[in-house]
Amino acid sequence: MSQCKLLLSDTERDWSDHALWWPEKRRWLQHTRSTLDQNGITADTQLEFTPMHKEARIQLPDMQMIDARVDFSVNSFKATKKLCRDLGIRYSEELSLKRYIPPEDLRRGTSDADNLNGPVSMRPGEESVGPMTLRKATPIFASQSNLDMRRRGQSPALSQSGHIFNAHEMGTLPRHTTGTLPRGVSPSPGAYNDTMRRTPIMPSISFSEGLENEQFDDALIHSPRLAPARDTPVFRPQNYIEKAAINRGWLDSSRSLMEQGIFEGDIVLLRFKFMNFFDLNPKYDPVRINQLYEQAKWSILLDEYDHTEEEATLFAALQLQATLQRDSPEPEDNGKDDVDLLLDELEQNLDAAALNRRSDLTQVPELADYLKYMKPKKLAAFKGFKRAFFSFRDLYLTYHQSSSDVNSSPLGQFSLRGCEVTPDVSVNQQKYHIKLLLPTAEGMVDFILKCDSEHQYARWMAACRLASRGKSMADSSYQQEVDSIKNLLKMQSANGNENGHGTVSRKANAVKLPNDFNVEEYISSKYVRRARSKQQIQQRVSDAHGNVKQLTATEAKLQYIRAWQSLPEHGIHYFVVRFRNARKAELVAVAINRLAKLNMDNGESLKTWRFSNMKKWHVNWEIRHLKIQFEDEDIEFKPLSADCKVVHEFIGGYIFLSMRSKEQSQTLNEELFHKLTGGWA
């Protein structure tokens, strides 16, 4: 007969936050109606009666460190939701928690990926663990050196001179109301009280109002400047195998922190995980916009995304503008209150819905123009581009020898539904190429379109992008897509103004850079090394800044995010896998709407599977294989660079996020999220 004794030094202490933790099984005993015997507890079992809320070191996307009081007993999805609510970040389902893995460990885990066996599997405990499975090996904790850093208040991801912020140094708290607020903003005035160990400020705005910019924590809206020093231990991926290692540390959304080897005082990273951002609103999302901008900035500086030198200069110019406008007040909203803004938005949505429902169009929107094209994998590709007359109608791209042949058989016709569209642009060199990867019965076919001007490129690029999503030019978002592309091209140009023919007419005035301008804070190190001198880089940034100097800080950050989203690699998550019955490791990418098999050396797409053609998918937890059934074939593989639960969660998460719509309720459906990402058969 077993007997449990609890020695209480303070009988008046509130024990409601405590629960039983089973260290051997790494499990919380939360079924209060079950007996110890029903839970498998024997007389010699060691249990811990421990608080559920514990201190954790949270590194935000902008690299700031906060000491947060987190619930270690709930699944990490709920913990992330609560943390985002306290920080003032809406749509917490776009973010997740990630364990801190030192850069040297990330490289060590992928160093042997070129052999036939693939990369060395992660030690149990470093990875997420699927349902009904148990890993008995020792999990990753913060190393002793990292713990020593933490005790000194130093982040292992920052240099010795970096600025570290903990909770009590982060300034004024958001003021909350008990009325209806945008989802993701806490309605409780005491939300920070149990999380950040700070005294909350009582609300001073009416119940019907939302949070305004001045009511958020300024340190979260305007992050401190921080340059990546040479001695900073950061991870710069050098190839696609190392890019796959970036996805190693994601925590399982369906399991608690302690069940995954995260304990009190450990370092946890809060990051945007799913690159599908819903309703970025400057009024409600100043913190969300800044943190997303900061994550985008660091991904560019650390070469996580391939980008051209022109794009690097544009990113630097936008970052400089956001920095210079940091302390400048944002302009007022033309005297419109919340009701007027909501009515304007409703009117736009109704107009768009009416346009999409039109079935009596007298003329379907169509593009027709002379373009040049090339099929890179054909033997005739060495002859260069050929000229033809192209027409785009509905979702089909058709081309003839000339405009007089439109009534005869075409040279070729493709459906662009489900194709991959990649820009290949150099504004200064007048290069406007559209790379298409078209799904055909013979496999994926490369096709390149060459446009003559910015105006022509913007119209055709917008049409191709919409067609890849299954939308025609009749969709209301077509003109917005065209304007967005034109705006991006204008900012990339060293000359900021267009004439009527889509070419530039005069040069924008260069601006004088601040005295403390440091190129390493703005430009990727690979382009800094390639430049003849830092003065050359500074001149390029100064010229590019002349095109964006009219933007406010928030507008500059939003433009940075849009330029980041236009990169070919944005929203692509790499994994090294081994397909069933295959001997060699291969590269797979999970994107917003598809799964792709890539060339491990150059990232070239070899085969694409669309989520829209997926029937079902599940995980075999015994052998840790992911099996996906599509309409035309089944695939099965074992992830090697990360746990199979991570890949499964990316697929289910993107499907979940694709269901969001402004016409639907914005209440977060946690049950549906876990159904799609949980991995249960």
Side-chain angles (χ1 to χ4, degrees):
M1 179 177 178
S2 61
Q3 182 179 7
C4 293
K5 294 183 179 180
L6 187 63
L7 300 179
L8 305 179
S9 58
D10 186 357
T11 57
E12 296 182 357
R13 181 175 175 180
D14 183 5
W15 299 95
S16 60
D17 187 45
H18 286 60
L20 289 173
W21 166 253
W22 191 351
E24 182 183 0
K25 300 292 185 181
R26 279 207 275 168
R27 203 175 88 198
W28 289 95
L29 301 182
Q30 295 183 314
H31 299 288
T32 56
R33 295 188 178 183
S34 301
T35 65
L36 294 179
D37 183 64
Q38 290 173 333
N39 281 286
I41 306 298
T42 61
D44 59 347
T45 301
Q46 293 185 356
L47 301 177
E48 295 180 5
F49 188 60
T50 181
M52 293 180 286
H53 287 80
K54 301 175 183 292
E55 297 286 342
R57 298 280 290 169
I58 306 295
Q59 187 189 66
L60 302 179
D62 64 354
M63 301 298 182
Q64 292 190 75
M65 279 285 197
I66 61 172
D67 293 316
R69 188 166 173 81
V70 180
D71 192 342
F72 278 66
S73 67
V74 299
N75 60 53
S76 64
F77 186 82
K78 288 183 179 292
T80 303
K81 179 182 176 182
K82 177 63 167 64
L83 182 61
C84 290
R85 185 178 63 198
D86 294 341
L87 294 172
I89 299 176
R90 297 194 301 162
Y91 305 107
S92 62
E93 64 270 21
E94 298 170 355
L95 298 92
S96 186
L97 296 175
K98 199 175 183 183
R99 69 174 77 249
Y100 170 72
I101 303 178
E104 59 272 17
D105 288 350
L106 287 175
R107 289 195 175 87
R108 188 182 307 124
T110 59
S111 59
D112 297 327
D114 291 329
N115 61 28
L116 293 179
N117 296 324
V120 177
S121 299
M122 293 184 298
R123 293 179 316 212
E126 294 183 3
E127 54 194 17
S128 301
V129 181
M132 304 304 294
T133 62
L134 176 65
R135 299 291 185 148
K136 296 183 179 180
T138 305
I140 280 187
F141 303 109
S143 65
Q144 189 60 45
S145 61
N146 293 338
L147 291 175
D148 292 341
M149 282 186 180
R150 179 173 57 79
R151 294 188 184 102
R152 296 195 302 267
Q154 175 74 29
S155 165
L158 305 181
S159 65
Q160 295 294 329
S161 60
H163 299 283
I164 308 303
F165 292 80
N166 55 32
H168 62 272
E169 294 173 330
M170 292 181 65
T172 306
L173 294 173
R175 292 182 297 222
H176 304 296
T177 75
T178 56
T180 302
L181 297 177
R183 180 162 67 80
V185 180
S186 173
S188 168
Y192 268 116
N193 202 26
D194 62 341
T195 304
M196 299 296 181
R197 291 290 183 89
R198 298 190 293 183
T199 304
I201 296 177
M202 296 304 293
S204 62
I205 55 178
S206 67
F207 293 157
S208 61
E209 293 178 338
L211 292 176
E212 302 291 347
N213 287 358
E214 66 271 12
Q215 293 151 351
F216 289 95
D217 195 324
D218 188 67
L220 299 178
I221 300 174
H222 303 293
S223 304
R225 290 178 61 180
L226 181 65
R230 294 181 179 179
D231 58 345
T232 302
V234 294
F235 183 64
R236 297 179 186 270
Q238 304 298 318
N239 49 52
Y240 287 98
I241 296 176
E242 292 190 358
K243 286 184 178 182
I246 295 175
N247 293 309
R248 233 180 105 180
W250 292 111
L251 297 183
D252 186 341
S253 296
S254 61
R255 306 176 73 240
S256 69
L257 298 181
M258 285 181 63
E259 288 172 337
Q260 301 181 72
I262 305 295
F263 291 91
E264 184 172 11
D266 283 353
I267 297 171
V268 184
L269 316 182
L270 177 67
R271 295 291 186 269
F272 287 88
K273 179 177 182 179
F274 300 104
M275 301 292 114
N276 187 350
F277 314 117
F278 188 75
D279 188 26
L280 283 173
N281 190 320
K283 180 176 182 179
Y284 300 124
D285 296 321
V287 175
R288 181 176 171 222
I289 290 173
N290 179 67
Q291 295 299 321
L292 180 56
Y293 155 76
E294 287 287 337
Q295 181 168 326
K297 181 189 76 175
W298 283 103
S299 70
I300 294 298
L301 294 178
L302 298 181
D303 296 320
E304 293 179 11
Y305 291 89
D306 289 337
H307 56 284
T308 65
E309 192 168 359
E310 279 187 2
E311 290 166 338
T313 305
L314 172 61
F315 285 126
L318 290 170
Q319 181 183 341
L320 175 61
Q321 179 64 10
T323 302
L324 295 177
Q325 295 295 315
R326 172 191 176 100
D327 299 323
S328 300
E330 296 286 336
E332 299 294 333
D333 293 335
N334 299 326
K336 290 188 176 182
D337 57 18
D338 290 347
V339 176
D340 293 329
L341 294 175
L342 290 173
L343 287 174
D344 290 343
E345 182 178 358
L346 178 61
E347 182 180 1
Q348 294 174 4
N349 292 336
L350 290 176
D351 290 343
L355 181 61
N356 291 333
R357 287 194 300 266
R358 281 192 303 179
S359 59
D360 58 340
L361 287 171
T362 58
Q363 184 179 4
V364 178
E366 181 179 2
L367 280 178
D369 207 345
Y370 279 97
L371 300 173
K372 294 181 180 180
Y373 72 96
M374 182 174 64
K375 299 178 181 179
K377 292 187 178 180
K378 296 293 182 181
L379 294 177
F382 68 91
K383 295 182 180 179
F385 286 91
K386 296 181 179 180
R387 190 170 183 265
F389 185 78
F390 282 81
S391 61
F392 184 91
R393 183 183 176 92
D394 289 332
L395 303 179
Y396 289 90
L397 181 68
T398 308
Y399 60 103
H400 298 79
Q401 189 69 38
S402 67
S403 58
S404 60
D405 300 332
V406 292
N407 295 324
S408 60
S409 298
L411 296 176
Q413 184 180 50
F414 300 104
S415 171
L416 298 189
R417 181 189 291 271
C419 73
E420 296 183 27
V421 184
T422 305
D424 184 12
V425 177
S426 176
V427 179
N428 294 333
Q429 298 176 11
Q430 297 293 297
K431 176 184 176 183
Y432 307 107
H433 293 182
I434 302 173
K435 291 184 177 181
L436 301 175
L437 193 60
L438 306 166
T440 65
E442 294 78 23
M444 305 301 291
V445 175
D446 286 309
F447 199 84
I448 300 177
L449 295 176
K450 181 179 180 181
C451 301
D452 296 327
S453 65
E454 294 183 15
H455 180 67
Q456 188 182 56
Y457 169 81
R459 292 187 300 138
W460 285 86
M461 186 64 177
C464 291
R465 281 181 177 173
L466 289 182
S468 69
R469 305 170 199 157
K471 300 178 180 180
S472 71
M473 291 173 57
D475 190 88
S476 61
S477 60
Y478 172 71
Q479 190 57 45
Q480 297 176 0
E481 190 76 29
V482 172
D483 295 339
S484 176
I485 294 172
K486 285 185 175 180
N487 190 34
L488 183 60
L489 293 175
K490 183 179 178 181
M491 289 189 298
Q492 285 184 346
S493 174
N495 304 281
N497 299 284
E498 294 183 11
N499 57 30
H501 302 286
T503 58
V504 292
S505 59
R506 66 183 179 85
K507 190 172 182 179
N509 295 326
V511 297
K512 183 179 179 181
L513 299 178
N515 296 329
D516 59 349
F517 182 84
N518 178 10
V519 295
E520 294 180 351
E521 291 184 50
Y522 297 87
I523 298 287
S524 166
S525 60
K526 68 178 181 181
Y527 290 119
V528 174
R529 291 193 300 268
R530 292 179 189 177
R532 292 194 297 267
S533 65
K534 290 188 177 181
Q535 288 74 21
Q536 181 189 41
I537 298 178
Q538 291 174 352
Q539 184 60 47
R540 289 177 182 171
V541 174
S542 177
D543 292 340
H545 182 262
N547 298 328
V548 300
K549 61 183 180 181
Q550 76 283 358
L551 300 178
T552 66
T554 301
E555 290 171 346
K557 292 175 183 178
L558 287 172
Q559 289 293 349
Y560 194 107
I561 294 171
R562 294 186 186 111
W564 179 56
Q565 289 177 297
S566 69
L567 294 178
E569 284 189 304
H570 180 267
I572 296 180
H573 313 273
Y574 299 104
F575 299 93
V576 179
V577 307
R578 186 185 299 112
F579 283 89
R580 187 177 181 86
N581 299 326
R583 298 185 58 191
K584 186 173 65 171
E586 299 186 72
L587 186 67
V588 162
V590 179
I592 293 176
N593 56 0
R594 66 190 184 276
L595 186 71
K597 179 180 174 182
L598 309 177
N599 185 308
M600 193 175 290
D601 296 324
N602 55 25
E604 179 183 351
S605 181
L606 304 176
K607 190 172 181 61
T608 299
W609 301 275
R610 312 292 298 186
F611 291 163
S612 58
N613 298 328
M614 185 189 299
K615 290 185 176 180
K616 63 180 180 180
W617 76 101
H618 68 272
V619 176
N620 185 330
W621 294 110
E622 294 298 324
I623 58 176
R624 312 196 78 73
H625 276 212
L626 188 65
K627 185 174 183 178
I628 309 175
Q629 182 179 351
F630 293 94
E631 291 180 353
D632 53 350
E633 66 174 318
D634 297 348
I635 62 173
E636 183 176 346
F637 57 83
K638 179 180 182 179
L640 302 174
S641 60
D643 188 67
C644 61
K645 181 59 166 64
V646 178
V647 184
H648 184 279
E649 199 162 298
F650 267 110
I651 295 174
Y654 273 125
I655 293 175
F656 174 80
L657 295 184
S658 68
M659 299 178 181
R660 298 184 297 182
S661 171
K662 288 187 176 182
E663 287 76 29
Q664 299 176 356
S665 171
Q666 296 307 309
T667 302
L668 179 58
N669 190 339
E670 295 185 38
E671 181 181 359
L672 178 59
F673 179 88
H674 288 299
K675 280 184 178 180
L676 291 171
T677 62
W680 294 89

